[in-house]
Amino acid sequence: MIVGVVGLGLIGGSIAKAYKEAGETVYGYDINETITNFAMLSGDINGKLDDKTIGKCQIIHIATYPEAAINYMTDHASQFGKDCIVMDDCGTKRKVCTAGFDLAKQYGFTYVGAHPMAGTKFSGYKYSRASMFNGAPMIIVPPTFDDINLYDRLKQLLAPLQLKNLVFTTADDHDQMIAFTSQLAHVVSNAYVKSPSAQRQKGYSAGSFRDLTRVAWLNEQMWTELFLENKDNLISEITTIIDNLSQYRDAMQNDDAETLRQLLRDGRIAKEQCG
């Protein structure tokens, strides 16, 4: 298999390393040429993804920010092989998928939106690892939901990542759900740690503080783009949690033990139901 990887950060670097460790031929590109060269010297890629190699690839992963992914596909659409699957690995899907599907229809390649559900609080190539996706799900936004041959191709082409399973959905549903499961968690964590009490917390937590603040450490440039691109869904989730928090605050202000007890009970049951 010949694989192309665009963007050799945490996700792209891990993708490249996973394929290379599985014995596949990997060509890589990063806007920072130093990183591309380092990946070559480290043996994590076979060479550069450029005008000479791009047409040889059976699958090309674009692991960049959404706007950069759109720009790359636009600039290189005419060079993608007709049998190549071009897959972005961005954190939001509506904007990039709209562009990808349009370009694929125009130039004859196959585009698939994707989002691997794995990562760390760190960013950059130096933190990437071949085992990043072992046992992790990957969300897939396909051009159609009744193409069994495409499904089989994806399973084969993605096998070196050792994913747990593929979850097929639409771009709209992906962005709505990711606003809750990922983006809201990052906003809450980032806001929570800004309390003045955070600077005095050492020795006062059995793990709750660590758990709630884990994703406060983030790449602000990337998350700003993702939040603004998905702001309709994320604002809705933020509004919901503000409304819910207000109920707890009001119950305590009014010394309303029964209401507070019911709110806590409802939350416990909700957690039991969602797992």
Side-chain angles (χ1 to χ4, degrees), residues 71 88 95 100 106 113 143 156 172 184 193-194 240 261 265:
N71 291 338
D88 86 275
K95 189 174 180 180
Q106 182 178 353
Q156 294 173 10
D172 285 337
L184 179 64
V193 80
K194 291 175 182 176
T240 297
R261 187 180 300 112
R265 177 180 180 275

Side-chain angles (χ1 to χ4, degrees), residues 94 175 178-179 183 226-234:
R94 284 177 293 177
D175 285 2
I178 219 69
Q183 294 183 339
L226 295 176
F227 287 168
L228 289 177
E229 188 169 318
N230 200 29
K231 67 180 183 179
D232 55 340
N233 289 315
L234 183 52

Side-chain angles (χ1 to χ4, degrees), residues 93-108:
K93 294 269 74 83
R94 284 177 293 177
K95 189 174 180 180
V96 68
C97 283
T98 296
F101 290 138
D102 287 346
L103 288 166
K105 184 176 181 180
Q106 182 178 353
Y107 289 94

Side-chain angles (χ1 to χ4, degrees), residues 114-127:
H115 187 183
M117 295 287 96
T120 72
K121 67 181 181 181
F122 301 106
S123 61
Y125 182 79
K126 69 185 229 178
Y127 295 107

Side-chain angles (χ1 to χ4, degrees), residues 135-242:
M138 176 181 275
I139 302 174
I140 298 291
V141 179
T144 178
F145 287 87
D146 58 0
D147 190 339
I148 301 301
N149 291 329
L150 175 60
Y151 176 71
D152 288 339
R153 283 183 67 197
L154 286 173
K155 285 179 62 178
Q156 294 173 10
L157 291 171
L158 296 173
L161 300 184
Q162 299 186 47
L163 298 161
K164 178 181 179 181
N165 63 310
L166 303 180
V167 179
F168 289 82
T169 188
T170 64
D172 285 337
D173 189 58
H174 169 277
D175 285 2
Q176 183 179 5
M177 288 304 303
I178 219 69
F180 173 71
T181 61
S182 177
Q183 294 183 339
L184 179 64
H186 282 78
V187 169
V188 171
S189 180
N190 198 265
Y192 171 77
V193 80
K194 291 175 182 176
S195 168
S197 299
Q199 304 307 315
R200 303 190 300 111
Q201 58 79 31
K202 290 185 179 180
Y204 286 84
S205 174
S208 298
F209 176 83
R210 180 195 63 234
D211 294 343
L212 191 50
T213 60
R214 181 180 65 83
V215 292
W217 189 345
L218 45 70
N219 178 337
E220 60 268 20
Q221 181 176 341
M222 178 184 76
W223 285 103
T224 294
E225 181 174 334
L226 295 176
F227 287 168
L228 289 177
E229 188 169 318
N230 200 29
K231 67 180 183 179
D232 55 340
N233 289 315
L234 183 52
I235 289 172
S236 177
E237 293 294 347
I238 291 173
T239 300
T240 297
I241 198 169
I242 289 174

